[in-house]
Amino acid sequence: MRLYLINPTNPLVSSVKVRESRWNRYRVWKPLSLLVLAGLTPSEWEITILDENLGVPDYPELPRPDLVGITAFTSQANRAYEAARYFRSLGVPVVMGGIHATMCVDEVMERVDSVVTGEAEGVWPRVLEDTRRGSLQRRYDGGLAEIKDVPQARHDLLATGYAFGAIQTTRGCPLNCTFCSVTTFNGARYRQRPIPDVVREFQSIPEKRVLIVDDNLIGTRPEHIARAKELFRAMAQANLRKEWIAQATINFADDEELLALSAKAGCSGVFIGFESPTLEGLRELGKKFNLLKGRDFGASVRRIQQHNILVVGSFIVGLDVDKPDIGIRIAEVASQYGVDSLNLLFLTPLPGTRLWDQMKADGRIALDTFPEDWKYYTLTYPVARYKHLSLDAVVKEMISCNRDFYSMPRVLRRLCSNVCHRRAPLISFVSNLSYRRNSLLDRKAYADFKCQRGNRYDCTSGM
Ligand code: B12
Ligand code: SF4
């Protein structure tokens, strides 16, 4: 039995534009969901993973499969439907799963033969067995998996073409920020994989550099942090010889032992959501964790960097509290905090989030011709009506923030500082150049976007 697992591309995502910016070669990430599905697949299936981010295959040239499985974030949904249409026209059954299929079941049901909602561990073997018997069901619900059932991902199947491998060590997040779908999808209970499983899987990853995809690697409670320390000790002891990057909340900086152990285990960078430079902004987003009284973000960033760990700071523009000049303010605050790279995103209502429900109720979702408009839900296009910022204004804030933070003098200043402190200067420099180049590409993309979609914002600004 032949199985194709497809990761659809979205050409509007700047980090997959490898031809336009060679720095993006370092930012095409492995579709871990498909490696996990492959790990759940019995050996009688011959599996091919087709990651369209490395180039869309010439499907008619490929042998006919017995089943096609497609994953998709919301921003990939359109391309997922195109691929599904093609294979269904050949009479090949198509099953779709992942976050978009879970949040928009009805839309997806209309376009594929079968939908898997939730995490796949509990149901994927049954999907395959039903396919083999010719009795594929219309819908399977995996719900939340038992964390011990998460298999070893098949890292051997996509062994070339990427700068980073990928692994997951925990699922779920208790924080439930308004704009984020993780708590709805993976649950509020923080589930941690058994440490020996994680170490064994790490050892099977061919790349030297690895992205740990966890939404919050260390968790929030003392028992989570204790487990993170245990994991880091085990990783150091296993002498993995890997450098890895991960996502964490700012409490990562609060525990010296945790920082030292993570560095020893190979941590070279963390991605931290600061989200807003103002308290009102943090309150609006429900980012309770960053509201800790008396927290000095600059000092927190420095404590992390002292362990030779780079910090990428993520911020969001377009909050109800954001007024003109928020872009420059974010660039200044990010520089004050001393982050090594800045990732600025538009506030985007993603289906299944509290923000979606609120904006929908308020009639503020500007791009709502679905599924066509999903391609703009990359967080790099303004898809909503913002309270104090028109379409032009919010785009201007994005551009001015990136122009300021990634101006050449600032990039070089950060490079010098990282060289002086021997803090992964090369990685940081490449990351800065990649963000800089992508922000230039995005500027061009906004002009095209405005021509094609600008009329949809008629009632923006000063709502
Ligand atoms: C790693 C990651 C990335 C990587 C992507 C790597 C890749 N190609 O997969 C990068 C950094 C590139 C990325 C980019 C983006 N991401 Co992202 N990302 C994640 C993250 C943190 C982990 C994903 C992951 O690997 N999980 C581990 C695997 C094992 O879990 P999984 O994907 O859920 O798969 C399981 C099930 O969903 C299911 N399943 C999945 N696919 C399929 C397919 C079939 C056939 C079946 C049966 C089952 C199935 O089975 C799997 C095992 O249980 C998630 C958060 C999260 N917790 O999922 C956000 C997340 C998926 N990202 C999100 C977003 C918004 C984006 C961006 C749009 C914006 C951004 N800049 O962050 C871009 C879009 C890129 C694009 N190409 O369009 C949102 C998506 C929400 C949505 N409705 O789409 C999430 C949920 C985060 C959030 N805050 O809400 N992301
Ligand atoms: S943004 Fe981060 S902290 Fe907030 S709910 Fe999502 S994963 Fe958790």
Side-chain angles (χ1 to χ4, degrees):
M1 300 289 281
R2 184 175 288 129
L3 170 66
Y4 287 169
L5 294 174
I6 300 179
N7 183 37
T9 193
N10 176 350
L12 295 179
V13 173
S14 47
S15 60
V16 304
K17 292 178 187 161
V18 176
R19 236 176 276 142
E20 287 92 330
S21 167
R22 65 204 147 102
W23 306 116
N24 284 335
R25 145 119 185 66
Y26 299 96
R27 292 181 62 188
V28 180
W29 309 98
K30 284 194 175 179
L32 182 59
S33 55
L34 300 183
L35 305 187
V36 170
L37 279 189
L40 293 166
T41 304
S43 56
E44 68 258 31
W45 287 83
E46 181 199 309
I47 310 166
T48 307
I49 298 188
L50 300 161
D51 181 2
E52 294 190 347
N53 285 336
L54 295 187
V56 177
D58 188 0
Y59 289 122
E61 286 295 304
L62 302 180
R64 188 180 191 280
D66 299 289
L67 177 69
V68 169
I70 306 182
T71 190
F73 300 165
T74 291
S75 54
Q76 298 166 295
N78 289 295
R79 176 61 206 149
Y81 299 146
E82 275 172 27
R85 205 177 312 126
Y86 169 72
F87 283 105
R88 292 182 88 198
S89 74
L90 303 181
V92 175
V94 173
V95 53
M96 192 163 143
I99 184 115
H100 188 72
T102 305
M103 300 303 168
C104 299
V105 189
D106 296 338
E107 176 191 292
V108 177
M109 280 269 216
E110 283 173 27
R111 292 163 175 86
V112 300
D113 299 285
S114 178
V115 178
V116 173
T117 51
E119 298 173 353
E121 281 75 5
V123 290
W124 182 241
R126 212 170 77 226
V127 174
L128 295 173
E129 187 49 27
D130 288 354
T131 307
R132 217 170 53 80
R133 292 207 193 125
S135 57
L136 185 65
Q137 308 293 302
R138 287 284 285 144
R139 182 171 173 185
Y140 299 82
D141 183 20
L144 297 181
E146 285 293 330
I147 197 75
K148 65 172 175 32
D149 295 340
V150 173
Q152 298 282 305
R154 289 282 307 275
H155 296 281
D156 55 311
L157 289 176
L158 267 183
T160 54
Y162 301 85
F164 283 79
I167 192 170
Q168 186 174 42
T169 86
T170 63
R171 283 190 188 165
C173 179
L175 298 180
N176 200 12
C177 304
T178 60
F179 58 90
C180 172
S181 14
V182 169
T183 311
T184 318
F185 185 71
N186 296 107
R189 195 162 63 83
Y190 188 63
R191 292 164 292 154
Q192 298 148 318
R193 285 180 72 193
I195 289 174
D197 286 7
V198 174
V199 171
R200 193 151 53 92
E201 188 172 326
F202 242 112
Q203 285 164 331
S204 73
I205 297 178
E207 290 81 9
K208 173 158 173 51
R209 296 196 175 86
V210 178
L211 165 70
I212 301 185
V213 304
D214 303 22
D215 299 289
N216 185 351
L217 175 64
I218 56 164
T220 49
R221 294 160 51 157
E223 63 270 27
H224 302 159
I225 309 276
R227 181 267 184 188
K229 287 181 183 174
E230 226 182 289
L231 172 65
F232 299 154
R233 277 192 202 100
M235 286 167 67
Q237 215 165 20
N239 197 15
L240 298 171
R241 294 174 199 280
K242 304 277 187 205
E243 267 178 34
W244 48 268
I245 55 175
Q247 305 182 90
T249 27
I250 190 67
N251 60 328
F252 185 52
D254 298 346
D255 186 323
E256 269 301 316
E257 188 189 24
L258 180 75
L259 287 170
L261 286 169
S262 69
K264 214 167 154 200
C267 181
S268 61
V270 279
F271 187 97
I272 292 182
F274 294 95
E275 321 302 4
S276 170
T278 66
L279 285 181
E280 305 79 57
L282 291 174
R283 268 192 215 110
E284 181 184 326
L285 294 172
K287 192 92 188 184
K288 301 166 233 147
F289 225 69
N290 291 19
L291 284 166
L292 186 73
K293 242 188 167 168
R295 159 142 349 252
D296 177 343
F297 287 108
S300 298
V301 169
R302 279 194 299 281
R303 275 200 300 279
I304 298 172
Q305 290 170 332
Q306 270 155 14
H307 292 267
N308 287 340
I309 297 172
L310 297 170
V311 178
V312 180
S314 184
F315 286 81
I316 301 176
V317 64
L319 313 192
D320 286 358
V321 298
D322 287 350
K323 306 251 171 70
D325 278 346
I326 180 70
I328 283 291
R329 181 138 182 231
I330 291 174
E332 274 166 8
V333 163
S335 296
Q336 270 164 28
Y337 292 173
V339 298
D340 298 284
S341 299
L342 163 67
N343 188 34
L344 183 62
L345 301 164
F346 289 110
L347 183 69
T348 302
L350 291 165
T353 60
R354 290 190 283 147
L355 180 67
W356 169 273
D357 294 341
Q358 189 59 53
M359 283 198 158
K360 198 159 166 44
D362 295 346
R364 290 175 59 187
I365 299 182
L367 293 196
D368 60 356
T369 306
F370 302 127
E372 195 199 331
D373 281 340
W374 290 132
K375 62 178 180 285
Y376 293 113
Y377 281 61
T378 56
L379 281 53
T380 51
Y381 288 90
V383 300
R385 299 192 179 92
Y386 300 97
K387 195 161 186 180
H388 300 293
L389 300 165
S390 65
L391 169 64
D392 280 344
V394 81
V395 166
K396 194 172 140 251
E397 298 306 328
M398 170 66 82
I399 291 174
S400 61
C401 176
N402 282 323
R403 188 182 278 150
D404 187 83
F405 190 85
Y406 290 111
S407 66
M408 223 34 188
R410 279 199 197 258
V411 169
L412 293 174
R413 213 171 307 146
R414 284 192 287 274
L415 174 67
C416 291
S417 159
N418 285 337
V419 168
C420 291
H421 295 98
R422 298 205 195 139
R423 207 175 46 234
L426 189 64
I427 299 182
S428 155
F429 189 52
V430 167
S431 159
N432 270 256
L433 292 179
S434 156
Y435 273 111
R436 183 183 149 87
R437 175 83 186 122
N438 286 345
S439 68
L440 295 175
L441 291 175
D442 283 344
R443 250 188 258 177
K444 203 178 149 298
Y446 295 138
D448 297 343
F449 172 73
K450 220 191 129 196
C451 286
Q452 289 166 23
R453 293 284 178 268
N455 60 337
R456 311 268 292 280
Y457 289 81
D458 282 351
C459 42
T460 45
S461 136
M463 296 177 36

